[in-house]
Amino acid sequence: MTRIFSWPSIDDAPVARGGPGIGRRLLTLSQRLAAQRYRPAVYALLATVIGCGIVLSVMMERTTAQIRLRSAPLFEHQVPLLGELAHLEDATQRYHHAINRLEGRRGAVERFLETDEAFGEDLTLGLARLREGMGDDPEVAQLRTVASRITRAGPRYAQALAAQQAPRRAERTMLAAINRDLIKLRDTIQVLEGRSRAAITASSNATEASVAGITRMVHMFNVLSLLTAIFMMYHIWVRFRSEDELAHQAGHDPLTGLPDRRTFELRLQELPEQPYTVVLGTIDRFGAVVGGYGHGFGDRMIQSLVARIDATAQRHGGQVFRLDGANIAVLYRLARHDPALADATDALLCSVRTPFTCDNHELFSSLSLGAAGFPDDGITPGALLRNADAALRQARRAGGDQLLAYSRELNARTEHRLGLEAGLRRAIERGELEVYYQPQQCLSTNALVGFEALLRWRHRGEMVPPSEFIPLAEETGQIIALGNWVLRQVCQQAALWQRLGAQPLTIAVNISPRHFSHGSFLDNVCQALHASGARPDTIELEITEGVVFAGGERAIDVLRALRELGLQLSIDDFGTGYSSLAYLKRFPIHKLKIDQSFVRHLAPHTGDAQIVQAVIGLGHNLGLSVIAEGVETEQQYAMLRGWRCDEIQGHYYAFPLNAAEATAFIVQASMAGGHAAPAPAALAG
Ligand code: C2E
Ligand code: MG
Ligand code: MG
């Protein structure tokens, strides 16, 4: 199991909002695809409903017209006719009763005659209406014939009764004839009534059939509309959910589900003018994790870690935003000096420190935080962000795993740094850089054996110490351009000294880790050698332990290639990094440079003395030469010489010199050491 950075366990971490949890709220992809696939069906259904609606309207219009056509004669003729026939039937019935009551009661003749008269009027009127409604119908004609017979026979019978002249038998015959005619009259009326009723029934049956047909169609249309409406509702629901999802995505980071940078900026602008604090954070060494384990692994770590940060921040009333990569922002409605804010940010730092296991790796990481509060550290969102960012950078530079709050001094430092950064970008073209050469002495012969090239920068008339601008160049990537420039200068200087016949000297060039691991490094070295014509064995490259140990096999390959080119290689500041003796054995190097921190307080029987002796012994046992740097005193010189250290470099022997001074130094040294030296004038040229 490899131990790298601390990281919360993916398994035990709460589900990130962008992970599976989001699926519960938002539509699945298959649902969305299904909705898209149904689109032609939606159009087809809608077209069908519209078409059916039009057809149905036309059909309803036609059916209504038919019904109206059918029912008009009914209401105009048949129904009044039926009423008329019923009236005639009643009248006939009444006449029948009246004439039968007359028999044997002669005194009632007067009253009968009145009935007869009324009956006659009813018949006349009724027949006239029947003729109007039914025309020259044979039944009507028959009715008329029978009716006129009755109206003629009735009064005659009544008068015969009143006069008492006719024999009784004749009276009965007359009455029987009238009764027969009355029955015929009633039958004929009933036949006509039956016909009329049949016509009404036929018409209403046809109407009912039409109404039933159209009603069925309306029901079918309703069912179709209902189904379409349900389908459309589903479709619209899917669409609304997609819109919701899009709206959510527009303001949220897809990986973590947290609100994104844009939302954060909007949120800052909306905040009321009450104290709040902006905390910017970044996961330390996240780039190394991604570089080593890939982006997929990095994504899972971000998801998991951000879930922890979010949960912790929420417990303290903070809102988390993912800005990009490993960068987050947390917004607290607390003043920056509020003790509750210190608790909240401490909890954030702790939440990331807890180690966890993923893919068989136990990972350890940490968080850097920078805070700026409204209104003390800025009153506009832009100023707050700038200041929180400056604090964050400072926290990272100080090693990470901590919170730094913005302060005016920090701001001044940041501004100074930014000024230096901008100045450094133009330092080469402005001719502000110069290479100095610090002489190195052989302890067995006391002769000058070489120089270390040290870069100097005069910015706005003042020297900027390398300890300030070299790390800055390293951080901003400008070290590659600077390193190449130094390489070219040194190679040219070495070639010049060679051409002028100086004794063989080595010039050591400091190579930064970033420059060494850059893909074009080998080419740059070759170009510098080629362009200058310098002998490769007069150039020494100083590399720090960390570079080679962290670079692994690739670093060893580069070192081998450099050695094949004929260059000298040394390990600078030896003893200050995480040296691996196993690796050291495999490095194709020539020299170890004991760091000046061991030399500075060198005195007999001290720990430093033990270390320096041990390094000298180690170097010699590995077949390497050893140089001690930072030698300032005679005592240091004597001790190192006594321990058989090969070379020294330091103020005791010489300070760093510019090119002209170094040339003069070579001349002097060669004269003092008995070496054949060129004329000083020629060397200076
Ligand atoms: P370094 O490579 O360890 O260089 C030795 C440093 O010790 C130099 O500091 C030198 O001036 C200083 N020094 C030499 N003798 C003595 C002494 O007796 N006493 C004291 N106190 N100091 C002494 P300098 O020039 O300030 O450079 C500092 C560091 O900057 C160098 O440490 C090196 O790491 C880096 N550096 C300088 N020039 C370059 C360069 O061209 N490229 C790169 N990548 N780094 C450079
Ligand atoms: Mg050095
Ligand atoms: Mg050094």
Side-chain angles (χ1 to χ4, degrees), residues 116-308:
D116 179 74
E117 196 177 340
F119 180 57
E121 282 169 10
D122 283 347
L123 277 179
T124 311
L125 198 68
L127 282 170
R129 284 190 183 147
L130 284 182
R131 207 172 33 246
E132 250 175 51
M134 302 177 89
D136 289 334
D137 189 284
E139 305 289 336
V140 178
Q142 187 184 357
L143 206 65
R144 199 167 42 241
T145 314
V146 176
S148 66
R149 264 206 314 265
I150 293 170
T151 47
R152 273 200 310 275
R156 246 189 289 147
Y157 171 66
Q159 281 158 11
L161 277 185
Q164 294 182 353
Q165 287 165 349
R168 193 102 181 115
R169 229 178 107 225
E171 283 175 7
R172 265 198 227 108
T173 307
M174 284 173 75
L175 181 64
I178 291 169
N179 274 333
R180 262 200 314 280
D181 278 343
L182 279 170
I183 288 167
K184 200 180 243 173
L185 187 71
R186 201 188 58 209
D187 290 349
T188 309
I189 289 171
Q190 280 175 355
V191 168
L192 285 172
E193 270 181 348
R195 266 174 44 193
S196 195
R197 269 204 196 92
I200 290 172
T201 308
S203 171
S204 63
N205 283 349
T207 304
E208 205 177 289
S210 302
V211 170
I214 203 79
T215 308
R216 240 192 327 275
M217 296 197 75
V218 169
H219 284 321
M220 278 164 60
F221 180 73
N222 278 346
V223 170
L224 183 70
S225 308
L226 205 70
L227 288 176
T228 308
I230 292 170
F231 193 79
M232 290 299 292
M233 269 171 67
Y234 170 74
H235 200 74
I236 290 168
W237 175 76
V238 169
R239 228 204 135 80
F240 283 175
R241 298 300 297 261
S242 303
E243 280 173 16
D244 287 352
E245 189 180 349
L246 282 178
H248 183 270
Q249 279 172 5
H252 287 73
D253 164 51
L255 182 67
T256 59
L258 286 176
D260 61 10
R261 174 188 290 275
R262 209 171 58 91
T263 313
F264 174 59
E265 286 166 0
L266 289 175
R267 183 94 181 78
L268 273 187
Q269 277 158 13
E270 283 166 4
L271 282 177
E273 296 206 338
Q274 285 165 2
Y276 63 87
T277 302
V278 173
V279 178
L280 295 183
T282 191
I283 297 156
D284 298 324
R285 296 176 297 278
F286 180 69
V289 175
V290 172
Y293 293 89
H295 286 278
F297 191 90
D299 282 353
R300 274 182 290 155
M301 288 201 318
I302 286 281
Q303 273 188 324
S304 173
L305 190 65
V306 159
R308 278 194 178 197

Side-chain angles (χ1 to χ4, degrees), residues 60-76 207:
M60 282 175 77
E61 198 54 47
R62 284 180 56 184
T63 309
T64 313
Q66 275 173 13
I67 292 171
R68 212 175 283 136
L69 208 68
R70 237 178 269 134
S71 60
L74 281 185
F75 293 111
E76 279 172 25
T207 304

Side-chain angles (χ1 to χ4, degrees), residues 87-139:
H87 184 69
L88 277 181
E89 200 179 355
D90 276 359
T92 308
Q93 196 78 25
R94 277 198 305 278
Y95 192 81
H96 202 170
H97 284 305
I99 206 153
N100 285 331
R101 267 201 312 271
L102 201 60
E103 191 191 8
R105 274 181 263 150
R106 294 165 206 281
V109 170
E110 291 300 318
R111 273 184 50 207
F112 170 75
L113 285 175
E114 282 169 21
T115 306
D116 179 74
E117 196 177 340
F119 180 57
E121 282 169 10
D122 283 347
L123 277 179
T124 311
L125 198 68
L127 282 170
R129 284 190 183 147
L130 284 182
R131 207 172 33 246
E132 250 175 51
M134 302 177 89
D136 289 334
D137 189 284
E139 305 289 336

